Amino acid sequence: MGRIDLTHSGEYSAPDTASLPVLATRNLVLFPGVAIPIALIRPSSLEIARKAEEQKITIGLCCQMDTRTENPSTPADVAPYGVFVEVLQIFELPDGTKSAFLRATGKFKVKGQADIPSMPGSMLNLTVSKVAESKTGSPATFSMLAELIQKAYKDFCHRTDSDNIQALNIETLGNPVDIINTIATHFPAPPEKKMELLGIYRTINRGEELLRLIEGELQKLSLASDIMERAREELTQEQREVFMRRQMEVMQRELYGDIDDVEKLTAQADEKKLPKAAREAFDKGIAQLRRVNPSAPDYSVIYNYLTTILDLPWNDESPLNNSLPQAREILEQDHFGMTKVKERIVEQVAVAMANPEGKAPILCLVGAPGVGKTSLGVSVAKALGREYQRVSLGGVSDEAEIRGHRRTYIGAMPGRIIDALRRAGKSNPLLLLDEIDKLSRDVKGDPSSALLEVLDPEQNCKFHDNFVDIDFDLSKVMFIATANSLDTIPRPLLDRMEVVEVPGYLLEEKIEIARRHLLPRVEKAVGFPEGELSFSKEALTALIESYTSESGVRQLEKALSSVARKLLVKKMSGENPSLSVTSAREVTALLGPEKFTPQRYETAHVPGIVTGLAWTPHGGEILFIESSLAKGKGEKLVLTGNLGDVMKESATIALQYVRSHAEELSVPIEIFEQNTLHIHVPEGAVPKDGPSAGITMAVSIASTLTGRLVRPKIAMTGEITLRGRVLPVGGIKEKILAAKRAGITDIIMCRENRRDIEAIEPAYVEGLEFHFVDTVSEVLEIALLPA
């Protein structure tokens, strides 16, 4: 059999000895005839490659002996054999890394260090000698060897699930030498083995050694597979579960990082010392968590459930304050006025201090917006030493907001009560149920019914939240509810609470509140030093009467903030304004025209004009009712002024009463047949309703028909019946405050309302004379002047 020369068509033609710059690689051993891209990490490597590409020169490539060497600079740092390479192209990867596409053209042996003037001394410059490899051999032997190597390499790639592209493109290489060198370059063998392969002189011997290397790796893989198979068959069921669990943990760590949720939660539960029922539910949840993949939706539901159980304060209580004088001092510091309310709060605090284990009644603070109901709850919590949490109920229409959602769908969460306890971190906080009158209901249930269990001291010791699904003791929690009106609170819910009315403020009280509380808060918010901004009593009075219309002080704080901002702008503009507002004129100059005209009693010089008292959510107001007669045979009663149905009924009843008592009032009966009575309530844009204007309308009608004037500076409120009885009405305190602001001196009301007057502080009723009546005839006798 003859010999053939399989010389590579692009073999490097160079002197036997040469000096050239060399690229050092950490793990790559390149064989002759192979083209491959490499990353140029070192600046020196990038510079060598660029010069080689620009000047079309050949450079060397050697593998490092030690991968830890950062900058190889001596022959001892690299392998004894390397390859000549051509830099075909330099390109940039998407991540910004520079790479070069190289082709090996021949093999060399390292002789020593070289000095190349054109290359910096920091680069690796070596003297090398060309090695002409022996590529002779039987063609059939080469072909068979290349085929065996190719087959073994493909088998290795399949067994290791490798996507090495060379396993798929080897068929395109027709030359057996190229196949051997290409597979030798890409086979994942240790660099030391590859260096040995590169050092082999005869290519056919290199192929035989490469085949032995690949077959050895295949035998290791088969042996490992057999061992795993035998071990798998010998595993018991329990061992299989342990093995699979560990495999799952390993996979979870690979996919999601270090996951120790179960261990962390279990350790927290051990420290928490949960009650028996809670611990049983927790252990059951932990067992479920172990079986669920972290990527599954149920995992987050179970995890949230377990963390909720751990976060709840099952037995963790706050130490309570036992000093009543200190509690009273806190209430006095935080709130001005409200004598009756603070008295009731102090009683509640005293009972809570004397009997911490007792069942405290649920207080419901009722009053107009801005009178301090919510801030009272904060003060009570501070006075008792309890944690404070506010639960907003305004607009809540889903029962699950109170009882929690069942854990049957993604996004389930506990109700607002349990969530507030979790945020408080204590089992005896003060929970403020804000805006309890704003609850609504829809197809999802009635949240007010769910609150019946929460606010019943006999039942809330075993409150059941659907999400937690364990009874929780709410008997240690102190509940305070707030509302603007009792009308919309369901009767069973209202029956479980003790109503405490929070009245509006007098003018003097608002002035004092502004000075003590609002002004320091405004100075801090706007940026003035404390005490720099000041208001006289006249200026504060102008602000309250002309720029606010409320029972509370919320709008007053906004008006003070507006003045402070305008003064700050002037100050920062260099105008140097006075920061002491002393007169109403200065207030008007800053805020513009008055927004509200203070309600004042107007002396009526004609019959039929009467002053009534009305209640609004913003406080009390005075109400003028006017009547007049006009000739005509049409409709006998005309009502205007945007009146509601109840107020229209009061007008009809008042007219019928006067008509039935026309003889006593000296009114000719013909006047009802020949005239039309027109009753008007001014400010028609404002809706008005309620029974309180019954006696006011009766007096207005009687005054018009008899021609008798109404007594000056008198106002009245009360409901009437067809028989002429006067019935009691509500909102007495707000109405009295409105009467005082308007300059009224006499007030007529039902005798049964005397109890409301007696419950009011003397300061509120000072300067007023009350006339208590039982019948409309008494009202007419007091209210109308002689003919």
Side-chain angles (χ1 to χ4, degrees), residues 2-52:
R3 298 281 180 177
I4 62 170
D5 186 5
L6 299 175
T7 304
H8 191 275
S9 59
E11 184 174 336
Y12 173 66
S13 176
D16 290 342
T17 303
S19 297
L20 73 165
V22 175
L23 289 175
T25 60
R26 293 185 189 273
N27 295 305
L28 175 65
V29 177
L30 188 60
F31 287 78
V34 180
I36 193 171
I38 66 168
L40 303 173
I41 305 299
R42 298 187 180 104
S44 58
S45 300
L46 178 60
E47 187 175 350
I48 291 173
R50 279 180 173 164
K51 287 191 176 184

Side-chain angles (χ1 to χ4, degrees), residues 612-645:
L613 298 175
W615 179 91
T616 71
H618 304 290
E621 290 183 359
I622 64 171
L623 198 69
F624 295 103
I625 294 180
E626 305 171 350
S627 298
S628 67
L629 275 178
K631 291 286 184 179
K633 294 186 178 181
E635 191 176 354
K636 299 305 177 187
L637 179 62
V638 177
L639 300 173
T640 56
N642 202 350
L643 308 183
D645 291 338

Side-chain angles (χ1 to χ4, degrees), residues 506 736 740 744-745 757 760-770:
L506 289 169
I736 288 173
K740 286 199 72 170
I744 302 294
T745 58
I757 302 300
I760 298 174
E761 295 90 334
Y764 288 92
V765 298
E766 186 179 350
L768 294 175
E769 183 178 351
F770 295 95

